[in-house]
Amino acid sequence: MTYCVGMLVREGLVMIADTRTNAGVDNISTYRKLRLHGNDGKRLIAVVSAGSLSTTQGAMHRLAQGVHNPETGEDDTLDSVSNIYQAALAAGRALREARDGMVSLEQQDVNFNASLLVGGSIDGERTRLFLVYSAGNAIECGPDTPYLQIGENKYGKPIIERALTYDTDMYEALKIGLISFDSTMRANLAVGLPLDLLVARAGQSKAELVHRIDHNDAYFHDLSRRWSDALSHARAEIPTPPYGPGPLDLLSKK
Amino acid sequence: MTYCVGMLVREGLVMIADTRTNAGVDNISTYRKLRLHGNDGKRLIAVVSAGSLSTTQGAMHRLAQGVHNPETGEDDTLDSVSNIYQAALAAGRALREARDGMVSLEQQDVNFNASLLVGGSIDGERTRLFLVYSAGNAIECGPDTPYLQIGENKYGKPIIERALTYDTDMYEALKIGLISFDSTMRANLAVGLPLDLLVARAGQSKAELVHRIDHNDAYFHDLSRRWSDALSHARAEIPTPPYGPGPLDLLSKK
């Protein structure tokens, strides 16, 4: 499993990915799922991936070699695409080719699907963020719902849904994302530390922050403890349900 | 979709179910998913259901008619079983028969699976709680993880996982369950009010509380607002991430 989130607020882009992969609970490894291309002031393309590791690695390999673009006749790479939308489409083609190549290998209960988040800015364009599906299609993140998730998204969704708006500060968004990861890691062993994160200001092609949160990260431990304590306190402050014994046979069949 | 939770703490049993069913987002209805049998001081069997409504209704119909028990040769109903474990097994057989009866109708993308929580106490036995799967098998709730969920379980799991222990007060458990529903309903439109709930003291075969929380329930609205405010406050109290710009080319391929 995997959990990745991308948040695109007015100030810029935040992307976070865990690093745990597993083939069954008895076979767990650490793989980097946040990949950066460029990050040189001209071109910033950040890709995070969830799903079949063989499919996403196959897709990234194809993307490095060049993926045929039927509209232009050219082979696209992350170095050649001229904007992030084209990067997302090229990644989608690569993903679909990689997955289709696996179909002949498919056994029962083996799923070769995968999905990507592709975000960044090329040559001064506005920063954009896309979710790329296995089929190769993509959706863009917009201000109304300024985040996209892939992988194990449900445990960590409520906190983002409650807290994040397009006008949230970029580092507040990062904090919200980390709380979301804390909830997810508590609920699903297949999502785990270290976490890789990226923060990039809107319109910039060089990340402001690239960081790995490992098992000894003091801030993340403090965040986890504070959040847990605060939830406990918040719960204690809510009054006990006032419902008295109702008509006891309300639901009875008798 | 549906969300149901059962919590079995030292003091007793709490079960909560929503009432929303949907066949696509354009076809949403309200159906009671918490069913009580007996509740007369001698026999309390509470059943909540998630999954295909036709399967669970078919199962409940079979259970009322009598489900063949291959071990005894008898036909079991919820009125004839002598303990909650037998009730769970009979419900499992009914569920499996109902589902298997649908297989011939299966079309692509239609799923006739369903699951149940069966809890209660018959003739003074200790109160027990089971999760019954589509295949007819069942697992029992125990003190180490004193809750079971069916349906849309992920959004609302983190709060229960953090807060609930076997020694939690029964009405505190109810509160935790309601917070869990609040998070779930915010994240998934296919889970919705009204909520049906049941509270029964350990070893009792008559519920202490049977209640429906509808759209006008003042306590539930207050709980939802307080929880939202408290989360917002808790988040504000956590310091901003301290990570400075790291080695910017750490992840770069260049």
Side-chain angles (χ1 to χ4, degrees):
Chain A
M1 209 66 194
T2 291
Y3 176 38
C4 302
V5 63
M7 293 173 275
L8 185 60
V9 294
R10 189 180 300 279
E11 281 190 339
L13 175 68
V14 176
M15 293 174 78
I16 314 175
D18 84 316
T19 54
R20 189 160 292 177
T21 64
N22 68 297
V25 289
D26 56 349
N27 188 355
I28 287 182
S29 314
T30 299
Y31 279 83
R32 186 180 293 283
K33 299 169 199 165
L34 171 63
R35 300 168 183 86
L36 272 193
H37 290 263
N39 195 26
D40 52 7
K42 288 282 285 176
R43 175 178 296 266
L44 170 64
I45 309 175
V47 180
V48 295
S49 54
S52 165
L53 186 63
S54 59
T55 300
T56 55
Q57 288 187 344
M60 298 318 288
H61 180 74
R62 284 164 195 267
L63 209 42
Q65 299 290 311
V67 182
H68 182 69
N69 181 335
E71 292 183 18
T72 63
E74 305 284 320
D75 284 349
D76 290 338
T77 70
L78 292 186
D79 289 325
S80 74
V81 292
S82 58
N83 57 59
I84 291 292
Y85 181 49
Q86 293 300 327
L89 292 182
R93 287 187 203 104
L95 199 57
R96 175 146 192 173
E97 284 181 14
R99 195 201 57 169
D100 287 352
M102 308 279 187
V103 169
S104 59
L105 307 175
E106 273 191 8
Q107 299 171 311
Q108 197 160 10
D109 293 334
V110 177
N111 186 329
F112 288 105
N113 283 336
S115 51
L116 307 174
L117 299 180
V118 177
S121 168
I122 295 175
D123 278 337
E125 69 173 327
R126 70 180 167 87
T127 300
R128 299 172 78 179
L129 173 65
F130 292 88
L131 191 166
V132 180
Y133 295 99
S134 270
N137 55 329
I139 61 170
E140 182 171 11
C141 185
D144 287 327
T145 304
Y147 68 96
L148 292 168
Q149 302 169 293
I150 55 175
E152 178 60 282
N153 61 64
K154 290 191 177 183
Y155 296 120
K157 186 176 179 182
I159 178 62
I160 303 180
E161 189 66 34
R162 287 176 193 274
L164 189 74
T165 73
Y166 187 60
D167 291 313
T168 301
D169 290 350
M170 201 163 61
Y171 284 89
E172 185 71 15
L174 174 59
K175 189 210 292 184
I176 293 167
L178 294 177
I179 296 171
S180 172
F181 269 82
D182 180 55
S183 291
T184 306
M185 290 190 291
R186 286 181 69 108
N188 187 335
L189 290 178
V191 178
L193 293 174
L195 306 180
D196 287 317
L197 57 91
L198 161 89
V199 176
R201 295 231 163 244
Q204 300 295 308
S205 296
K206 187 155 188 168
E208 182 168 296
L209 171 64
V210 176
H211 184 73
R212 171 166 280 199
I213 292 177
D214 64 19
H215 295 271
N216 304 314
D217 190 284
Y219 172 74
F220 191 71
H221 278 282
D222 181 62
L223 174 142
S224 181
R225 187 185 51 74
R226 283 177 186 257
W227 185 247
S228 186
D229 291 350
L231 290 194
S232 184
H233 181 73
R235 185 171 46 81
E237 291 290 302
I238 295 176
T240 299
Y243 312 121
L248 287 183
D249 57 348
L250 179 66
L251 304 176
S252 174
K253 292 195 98 173
K254 296 210 166 178
Chain B
M1 208 68 193
T2 290
Y3 175 40
C4 302
V5 64
M7 293 173 276
L8 184 60
V9 294
R10 189 181 300 280
E11 282 189 340
L13 175 69
V14 175
M15 294 174 78
I16 314 174
D18 83 316
T19 52
R20 188 160 292 177
T21 64
N22 68 296
V25 290
D26 56 349
N27 188 355
I28 288 181
S29 314
T30 298
Y31 278 85
R32 187 178 293 279
K33 299 169 200 167
L34 170 63
R35 299 168 183 87
L36 271 192
H37 290 264
N39 195 25
D40 53 8
K42 289 282 286 175
R43 175 178 296 266
L44 169 64
I45 308 175
V47 179
V48 295
S49 54
S52 164
L53 186 64
S54 58
T55 300
T56 55
Q57 288 188 345
M60 298 318 289
H61 180 74
R62 282 163 197 268
L63 209 43
Q65 298 291 311
V67 181
H68 182 68
N69 181 336
E71 292 181 19
T72 63
E74 305 284 319
D75 284 350
D76 290 339
T77 69
L78 292 185
D79 289 326
S80 75
V81 292
S82 57
N83 57 59
I84 291 293
Y85 182 50
Q86 293 299 327
L89 292 182
R93 287 187 203 104
L95 199 57
R96 174 146 194 175
E97 284 180 14
R99 195 201 56 169
D100 288 352
M102 308 280 185
V103 169
S104 60
L105 307 175
E106 275 191 7
Q107 300 171 311
Q108 199 161 7
D109 293 332
V110 177
N111 185 330
F112 288 104
N113 284 336
S115 51
L116 306 173
L117 298 180
V118 178
S121 168
I122 296 174
D123 278 337
E125 68 172 328
R126 71 180 166 85
T127 299
R128 299 173 78 179
L129 173 65
F130 293 88
L131 192 165
V132 180
Y133 295 100
S134 270
N137 56 330
I139 61 171
E140 182 170 11
C141 185
D144 288 327
T145 305
Y147 68 97
L148 291 167
Q149 301 169 294
I150 54 175
E152 178 61 281
N153 61 65
K154 291 192 176 183
Y155 296 120
K157 185 176 180 183
I159 178 61
I160 302 179
E161 189 66 34
R162 287 177 193 273
L164 189 75
T165 73
Y166 187 61
D167 291 314
T168 301
D169 290 351
M170 202 162 63
Y171 284 90
E172 185 70 15
L174 174 59
K175 190 210 289 183
I176 293 167
L178 294 178
I179 296 172
S180 172
F181 268 84
D182 180 55
S183 291
T184 305
M185 289 189 292
R186 286 181 70 107
N188 188 334
L189 289 179
V191 178
L193 294 173
L195 306 180
D196 286 318
L197 58 91
L198 161 88
V199 177
R201 296 234 161 240
Q204 299 296 309
S205 296
K206 187 154 186 166
E208 181 167 298
L209 170 64
V210 175
H211 185 73
R212 171 165 280 199
I213 292 176
D214 64 19
H215 295 271
N216 304 314
D217 190 284
Y219 172 75
F220 191 71
H221 277 282
D222 181 63
L223 173 143
S224 181
R225 188 185 49 75
R226 283 176 185 257
W227 186 247
S228 186
D229 291 350
L231 290 193
S232 182
H233 181 72
R235 185 168 49 79
E237 291 290 301
I238 294 177
T240 299
Y243 312 122
L248 287 183
D249 56 350
L250 180 67
L251 302 177
S252 175
K253 292 194 100 174
K254 298 211 163 171

